[in-house]
mmCIF file of all heavy atoms in Angstrom:
data_model
loop_
_atom_site.group_PDB
_atom_site.id
_atom_site.type_symbol
_atom_site.label_atom_id
_atom_site.label_comp_id
_atom_site.label_asym_id
_atom_site.label_seq_id
_atom_site.Cartn_x
_atom_site.Cartn_y
_atom_site.Cartn_z
ATOM 1 N N MET A 1 197.409 -19.387 198.453
ATOM 2 C CA MET A 1 198.691 -19.349 197.754
ATOM 3 C C MET A 1 198.946 -20.644 196.981
ATOM 4 O O MET A 1 199.250 -20.616 195.787
ATOM 5 C CB MET A 1 199.815 -19.088 198.756
ATOM 6 C CG MET A 1 201.202 -18.983 198.148
ATOM 7 S SD MET A 1 202.423 -18.373 199.338
ATOM 8 C CE MET A 1 202.294 -19.613 200.638
ATOM 9 N N VAL A 2 198.809 -21.793 197.652
ATOM 10 C CA VAL A 2 199.176 -23.059 197.003
ATOM 11 C C VAL A 2 198.078 -23.579 196.077
ATOM 12 O O VAL A 2 198.341 -24.438 195.229
ATOM 13 C CB VAL A 2 199.545 -24.134 198.052
ATOM 14 C CG1 VAL A 2 200.740 -23.695 198.869
ATOM 15 C CG2 VAL A 2 198.366 -24.477 198.948
ATOM 16 N N LEU A 3 196.848 -23.072 196.236
ATOM 17 C CA LEU A 3 195.759 -23.463 195.333
ATOM 18 C C LEU A 3 195.518 -22.418 194.254
ATOM 19 O O LEU A 3 194.599 -22.559 193.439
ATOM 20 C CB LEU A 3 194.472 -23.690 196.130
ATOM 21 C CG LEU A 3 194.504 -24.776 197.203
ATOM 22 C CD1 LEU A 3 193.181 -24.829 197.953
ATOM 23 C CD2 LEU A 3 194.815 -26.138 196.601
ATOM 24 N N SER A 4 196.337 -21.365 194.230
ATOM 25 C CA SER A 4 196.112 -20.255 193.312
ATOM 26 C C SER A 4 196.097 -20.644 191.832
ATOM 27 O O SER A 4 195.378 -20.011 191.052
ATOM 28 C CB SER A 4 197.137 -19.145 193.553
ATOM 29 O OG SER A 4 198.463 -19.622 193.360
ATOM 30 N N PRO A 5 196.849 -21.665 191.367
ATOM 31 C CA PRO A 5 196.766 -21.994 189.945
ATOM 32 C C PRO A 5 195.349 -22.284 189.455
ATOM 33 O O PRO A 5 195.031 -22.018 188.295
ATOM 34 C CB PRO A 5 197.658 -23.237 189.820
ATOM 35 C CG PRO A 5 198.698 -23.037 190.879
ATOM 36 C CD PRO A 5 197.927 -22.431 192.029
ATOM 37 N N LEU A 6 194.485 -22.837 190.313
ATOM 38 C CA LEU A 6 193.080 -23.018 189.944
ATOM 39 C C LEU A 6 192.192 -21.938 190.557
ATOM 40 O O LEU A 6 191.250 -21.466 189.916
ATOM 41 C CB LEU A 6 192.585 -24.394 190.394
ATOM 42 C CG LEU A 6 192.885 -25.594 189.499
ATOM 43 C CD1 LEU A 6 192.155 -26.827 190.003
ATOM 44 C CD2 LEU A 6 192.526 -25.330 188.045
ATOM 45 N N ALA A 7 192.495 -21.538 191.795
ATOM 46 C CA ALA A 7 191.619 -20.592 192.492
ATOM 47 C C ALA A 7 191.570 -19.242 191.789
ATOM 48 O O ALA A 7 190.510 -18.614 191.687
ATOM 49 C CB ALA A 7 192.094 -20.420 193.936
ATOM 50 N N ILE A 8 192.705 -18.796 191.274
ATOM 51 C CA ILE A 8 192.750 -17.461 190.676
ATOM 52 C C ILE A 8 192.023 -17.422 189.329
ATOM 53 O O ILE A 8 191.672 -16.343 188.830
ATOM 54 C CB ILE A 8 194.220 -17.005 190.547
ATOM 55 C CG1 ILE A 8 194.314 -15.488 190.690
ATOM 56 C CG2 ILE A 8 194.835 -17.479 189.254
ATOM 57 C CD1 ILE A 8 195.687 -14.995 190.999
ATOM 58 N N LEU A 9 191.745 -18.606 188.764
ATOM 59 C CA LEU A 9 190.981 -18.660 187.519
ATOM 60 C C LEU A 9 189.521 -18.254 187.721
ATOM 61 O O LEU A 9 188.801 -18.024 186.741
ATOM 62 C CB LEU A 9 191.045 -20.072 186.922
ATOM 63 C CG LEU A 9 192.432 -20.559 186.489
ATOM 64 C CD1 LEU A 9 192.340 -21.957 185.907
ATOM 65 C CD2 LEU A 9 193.062 -19.607 185.483
ATOM 66 N N GLN A 10 189.092 -18.165 189.002
ATOM 67 C CA GLN A 10 187.748 -17.662 189.263
ATOM 68 C C GLN A 10 187.591 -16.223 188.792
ATOM 69 O O GLN A 10 186.472 -15.745 188.616
ATOM 70 C CB GLN A 10 187.433 -17.772 190.760
ATOM 71 C CG GLN A 10 187.332 -19.194 191.290
ATOM 72 C CD GLN A 10 186.173 -19.969 190.677
ATOM 73 O OE1 GLN A 10 185.087 -19.423 190.494
ATOM 74 N NE2 GLN A 10 186.416 -21.230 190.341
ATOM 75 N N LEU A 11 188.712 -15.526 188.575
ATOM 76 C CA LEU A 11 188.654 -14.164 188.023
ATOM 77 C C LEU A 11 188.191 -14.165 186.570
ATOM 78 O O LEU A 11 187.846 -13.111 186.027
ATOM 79 C CB LEU A 11 190.021 -13.494 188.124
ATOM 80 C CG LEU A 11 190.459 -13.051 189.526
ATOM 81 C CD1 LEU A 11 191.925 -12.669 189.541
ATOM 82 C CD2 LEU A 11 189.593 -11.884 190.014
ATOM 83 N N ALA A 12 188.189 -15.341 185.927
ATOM 84 C CA ALA A 12 187.704 -15.434 184.548
ATOM 85 C C ALA A 12 186.219 -15.751 184.476
ATOM 86 O O ALA A 12 185.666 -15.898 183.384
ATOM 87 C CB ALA A 12 188.496 -16.517 183.800
ATOM 88 N N MET A 13 185.562 -15.842 185.640
ATOM 89 C CA MET A 13 184.127 -16.145 185.701
ATOM 90 C C MET A 13 183.321 -14.861 185.824
ATOM 91 O O MET A 13 183.861 -13.799 186.161
ATOM 92 C CB MET A 13 183.858 -17.063 186.899
ATOM 93 C CG MET A 13 184.546 -18.417 186.806
ATOM 94 S SD MET A 13 183.915 -19.425 185.449
ATOM 95 C CE MET A 13 182.276 -19.826 186.075
ATOM 96 N N PRO A 14 182.002 -14.929 185.573
ATOM 97 C CA PRO A 14 181.168 -13.727 185.696
ATOM 98 C C PRO A 14 181.222 -13.072 187.076
ATOM 99 O O PRO A 14 180.964 -11.877 187.200
ATOM 100 C CB PRO A 14 179.757 -14.252 185.374
ATOM 101 C CG PRO A 14 179.989 -15.450 184.508
ATOM 102 C CD PRO A 14 181.256 -16.072 185.015
ATOM 103 N N ARG A 15 181.558 -13.840 188.115
ATOM 104 C CA ARG A 15 181.615 -13.291 189.477
ATOM 105 C C ARG A 15 182.975 -12.675 189.787
ATOM 106 O O ARG A 15 183.338 -12.514 190.961
ATOM 107 C CB ARG A 15 181.279 -14.378 190.501
ATOM 108 C CG ARG A 15 182.135 -15.624 190.377
ATOM 109 C CD ARG A 15 181.745 -16.683 191.393
ATOM 110 N NE ARG A 15 182.455 -17.928 191.149
ATOM 111 C CZ ARG A 15 182.043 -18.894 190.343
ATOM 112 N NH1 ARG A 15 180.918 -18.745 189.678
ATOM 113 N NH2 ARG A 15 182.736 -20.005 190.178
ATOM 114 N N TRP A 16 183.736 -12.304 188.788
ATOM 115 C CA TRP A 16 185.104 -11.838 188.994
ATOM 116 C C TRP A 16 185.170 -10.603 189.884
ATOM 117 O O TRP A 16 186.147 -10.400 190.603
ATOM 118 C CB TRP A 16 185.792 -11.580 187.657
ATOM 119 C CG TRP A 16 185.247 -10.421 186.868
ATOM 120 C CD1 TRP A 16 184.258 -10.460 185.938
ATOM 121 C CD2 TRP A 16 185.665 -9.059 186.958
ATOM 122 N NE1 TRP A 16 184.016 -9.216 185.427
ATOM 123 C CE2 TRP A 16 184.874 -8.324 186.037
ATOM 124 C CE3 TRP A 16 186.619 -8.381 187.709
ATOM 125 C CZ2 TRP A 16 185.006 -6.958 185.871
ATOM 126 C CZ3 TRP A 16 186.768 -7.016 187.543
ATOM 127 C CH2 TRP A 16 185.969 -6.313 186.637
ATOM 128 N N ARG A 17 184.114 -9.751 189.846
ATOM 129 C CA ARG A 17 184.145 -8.539 190.678
ATOM 130 C C ARG A 17 184.135 -8.900 192.159
ATOM 131 O O ARG A 17 184.857 -8.300 192.966
ATOM 132 C CB ARG A 17 182.955 -7.641 190.349
ATOM 133 C CG ARG A 17 183.041 -6.964 188.983
ATOM 134 C CD ARG A 17 181.843 -6.049 188.752
ATOM 135 N NE ARG A 17 181.914 -5.388 187.452
ATOM 136 C CZ ARG A 17 181.505 -5.935 186.315
ATOM 137 N NH1 ARG A 17 180.982 -7.165 186.336
ATOM 138 N NH2 ARG A 17 181.603 -5.278 185.172
ATOM 139 N N ARG A 18 183.333 -9.903 192.520
ATOM 140 C CA ARG A 18 183.297 -10.340 193.919
ATOM 141 C C ARG A 18 184.643 -10.927 194.339
ATOM 142 O O ARG A 18 185.106 -10.711 195.459
ATOM 143 C CB ARG A 18 182.191 -11.375 194.120
ATOM 144 C CG ARG A 18 180.784 -10.798 194.212
ATOM 145 C CD ARG A 18 179.768 -11.875 194.490
ATOM 146 N NE ARG A 18 179.583 -12.755 193.335
ATOM 147 C CZ ARG A 18 178.912 -13.903 193.371
ATOM 148 N NH1 ARG A 18 178.382 -14.333 194.510
ATOM 149 N NH2 ARG A 18 178.763 -14.630 192.287
ATOM 150 N N VAL A 19 185.257 -11.658 193.423
ATOM 151 C CA VAL A 19 186.570 -12.236 193.734
ATOM 152 C C VAL A 19 187.599 -11.128 193.920
ATOM 153 O O VAL A 19 188.404 -11.156 194.866
ATOM 154 C CB VAL A 19 187.002 -13.206 192.619
ATOM 155 C CG1 VAL A 19 188.415 -13.730 192.882
ATOM 156 C CG2 VAL A 19 186.026 -14.376 192.511
ATOM 157 N N ALA A 20 187.581 -10.137 193.043
ATOM 158 C CA ALA A 20 188.547 -9.035 193.137
ATOM 159 C C ALA A 20 188.355 -8.245 194.427
ATOM 160 O O ALA A 20 189.327 -7.920 195.130
ATOM 161 C CB ALA A 20 188.408 -8.116 191.924
ATOM 162 N N LEU A 21 187.095 -7.942 194.761
ATOM 163 C CA LEU A 21 186.829 -7.205 196.006
ATOM 164 C C LEU A 21 187.206 -8.046 197.223
ATOM 165 O O LEU A 21 187.768 -7.528 198.199
ATOM 166 C CB LEU A 21 185.358 -6.801 196.071
ATOM 167 C CG LEU A 21 184.918 -5.685 195.104
ATOM 168 C CD1 LEU A 21 183.401 -5.509 195.146
ATOM 169 C CD2 LEU A 21 185.610 -4.369 195.465
ATOM 170 N N GLY A 22 186.909 -9.324 197.159
ATOM 171 C CA GLY A 22 187.271 -10.214 198.260
ATOM 172 C C GLY A 22 188.768 -10.303 198.453
ATOM 173 O O GLY A 22 189.276 -10.278 199.586
ATOM 174 N N GLY A 23 189.517 -10.388 197.346
ATOM 175 C CA GLY A 23 190.968 -10.438 197.437
ATOM 176 C C GLY A 23 191.547 -9.177 198.042
ATOM 177 O O GLY A 23 192.451 -9.226 198.886
ATOM 178 N N ALA A 24 191.000 -8.014 197.622
ATOM 179 C CA ALA A 24 191.471 -6.741 198.187
ATOM 180 C C ALA A 24 191.167 -6.666 199.673
ATOM 181 O O ALA A 24 191.980 -6.179 200.473
ATOM 182 C CB ALA A 24 190.826 -5.581 197.440
ATOM 183 N N GLY A 25 189.979 -7.148 200.072
ATOM 184 C CA GLY A 25 189.609 -7.134 201.487
ATOM 185 C C GLY A 25 190.494 -8.038 202.324
ATOM 186 O O GLY A 25 190.914 -7.659 203.433
ATOM 187 N N ILE A 26 190.810 -9.241 201.817
ATOM 188 C CA ILE A 26 191.688 -10.162 202.547
ATOM 189 C C ILE A 26 193.088 -9.567 202.673
ATOM 190 O O ILE A 26 193.724 -9.651 203.733
ATOM 191 C CB ILE A 26 191.727 -11.529 201.845
ATOM 192 C CG1 ILE A 26 190.358 -12.207 201.954
ATOM 193 C CG2 ILE A 26 192.807 -12.415 202.444
ATOM 194 C CD1 ILE A 26 190.231 -13.471 201.123
ATOM 195 N N PHE A 27 193.572 -8.948 201.598
ATOM 196 C CA PHE A 27 194.896 -8.315 201.628
ATOM 197 C C PHE A 27 194.936 -7.211 202.681
ATOM 198 O O PHE A 27 195.885 -7.125 203.478
ATOM 199 C CB PHE A 27 195.221 -7.743 200.244
ATOM 200 C CG PHE A 27 196.591 -7.150 200.140
ATOM 201 C CD1 PHE A 27 197.690 -7.949 199.885
ATOM 202 C CD2 PHE A 27 196.792 -5.790 200.289
ATOM 203 C CE1 PHE A 27 198.965 -7.408 199.787
ATOM 204 C CE2 PHE A 27 198.063 -5.230 200.205
ATOM 205 C CZ PHE A 27 199.149 -6.053 199.953
ATOM 206 N N ALA A 28 193.899 -6.382 202.720
ATOM 207 C CA ALA A 28 193.854 -5.290 203.700
ATOM 208 C C ALA A 28 193.778 -5.834 205.123
ATOM 209 O O ALA A 28 194.462 -5.335 206.030
ATOM 210 C CB ALA A 28 192.663 -4.385 203.409
ATOM 211 N N ALA A 29 192.947 -6.870 205.331
ATOM 212 C CA ALA A 29 192.830 -7.475 206.663
ATOM 213 C C ALA A 29 194.172 -8.049 207.112
ATOM 214 O O ALA A 29 194.557 -7.930 208.285
ATOM 215 C CB ALA A 29 191.761 -8.560 206.652
ATOM 216 N N ALA A 30 194.894 -8.681 206.178
ATOM 217 C CA ALA A 30 196.199 -9.246 206.516
ATOM 218 C C ALA A 30 197.174 -8.150 206.929
ATOM 219 O O ALA A 30 197.913 -8.295 207.914
ATOM 220 C CB ALA A 30 196.751 -10.032 205.329
ATOM 221 N N LEU A 31 197.191 -7.041 206.201
ATOM 222 C CA LEU A 31 198.092 -5.941 206.544
ATOM 223 C C LEU A 31 197.777 -5.388 207.929
ATOM 224 O O LEU A 31 198.687 -5.089 208.719
ATOM 225 C CB LEU A 31 197.992 -4.830 205.494
ATOM 226 C CG LEU A 31 198.583 -5.121 204.112
ATOM 227 C CD1 LEU A 31 198.379 -3.922 203.195
ATOM 228 C CD2 LEU A 31 200.064 -5.478 204.208
ATOM 229 N N ILE A 32 196.496 -5.235 208.235
ATOM 230 C CA ILE A 32 196.099 -4.704 209.549
ATOM 231 C C ILE A 32 196.533 -5.654 210.664
ATOM 232 O O ILE A 32 197.109 -5.234 211.681
ATOM 233 C CB ILE A 32 194.578 -4.461 209.592
ATOM 234 C CG1 ILE A 32 194.205 -3.323 208.630
ATOM 235 C CG2 ILE A 32 194.122 -4.137 211.011
ATOM 236 C CD1 ILE A 32 192.718 -3.182 208.414
ATOM 237 N N LEU A 33 196.270 -6.947 210.478
ATOM 238 C CA LEU A 33 196.641 -7.922 211.508
ATOM 239 C C LEU A 33 198.157 -8.057 211.634
ATOM 240 O O LEU A 33 198.675 -8.270 212.735
ATOM 241 C CB LEU A 33 196.002 -9.274 211.191
ATOM 242 C CG LEU A 33 194.487 -9.355 211.443
ATOM 243 C CD1 LEU A 33 193.911 -10.640 210.887
ATOM 244 C CD2 LEU A 33 194.180 -9.239 212.938
ATOM 245 N N MET A 34 198.873 -7.919 210.534
ATOM 246 C CA MET A 34 200.340 -7.947 210.594
ATOM 247 C C MET A 34 200.876 -6.744 211.361
ATOM 248 O O MET A 34 201.883 -6.841 212.062
ATOM 249 C CB MET A 34 200.920 -7.978 209.181
ATOM 250 C CG MET A 34 200.735 -9.312 208.460
ATOM 251 S SD MET A 34 200.939 -9.211 206.656
ATOM 252 C CE MET A 34 202.635 -8.672 206.526
ATOM 253 N N TRP A 35 200.190 -5.618 211.228
ATOM 254 C CA TRP A 35 200.594 -4.426 211.975
ATOM 255 C C TRP A 35 200.287 -4.592 213.468
ATOM 256 O O TRP A 35 201.077 -4.194 214.331
ATOM 257 C CB TRP A 35 199.863 -3.205 211.419
ATOM 258 C CG TRP A 35 200.084 -1.959 212.214
ATOM 259 C CD1 TRP A 35 201.202 -1.186 212.280
ATOM 260 C CD2 TRP A 35 199.136 -1.344 213.102
ATOM 261 N NE1 TRP A 35 201.034 -0.140 213.135
ATOM 262 C CE2 TRP A 35 199.757 -0.202 213.662
ATOM 263 C CE3 TRP A 35 197.821 -1.643 213.473
ATOM 264 C CZ2 TRP A 35 199.122 0.629 214.572
ATOM 265 C CZ3 TRP A 35 197.178 -0.808 214.371
ATOM 266 C CH2 TRP A 35 197.828 0.312 214.907
ATOM 267 N N MET A 36 199.155 -5.238 213.780
ATOM 268 C CA MET A 36 198.776 -5.442 215.178
ATOM 269 C C MET A 36 199.620 -6.509 215.857
ATOM 270 O O MET A 36 199.871 -6.441 217.065
ATOM 271 C CB MET A 36 197.292 -5.838 215.264
ATOM 272 C CG MET A 36 196.319 -4.759 214.834
ATOM 273 S SD MET A 36 194.612 -5.377 214.777
ATOM 274 C CE MET A 36 194.361 -5.877 216.488
ATOM 275 N N ASP A 37 200.050 -7.513 215.101
ATOM 276 C CA ASP A 37 200.757 -8.654 215.690
ATOM 277 C C ASP A 37 201.855 -9.086 214.722
ATOM 278 O O ASP A 37 201.577 -9.718 213.710
ATOM 279 C CB ASP A 37 199.778 -9.814 215.945
ATOM 280 C CG ASP A 37 200.477 -11.049 216.478
ATOM 281 O OD1 ASP A 37 201.083 -10.959 217.554
ATOM 282 O OD2 ASP A 37 200.411 -12.105 215.808
#
């Protein structure tokens, strides 16, 4: 969150698909853990 001004610029790199999939996976993991605890 606090490093996002630079971190999110990785979406402008050729590896953007990995970043997008990774972000979706982290979001899903967070939702599951929030539901569990």
Side-chain angles (χ1 to χ4, degrees):
M1 182 169 58
V2 299
L3 300 177
S4 60
L6 277 188
I8 211 162
L9 296 181
Q10 294 296 319
L11 287 168
M13 297 294 290
R15 54 181 173 272
W16 68 269
R17 289 182 180 84
R18 282 183 290 169
V19 176
L21 288 173
I26 293 172
F27 184 84
L31 289 179
I32 293 169
L33 287 170
M34 288 162 62
W35 173 73
M36 294 173 60
D37 177 61

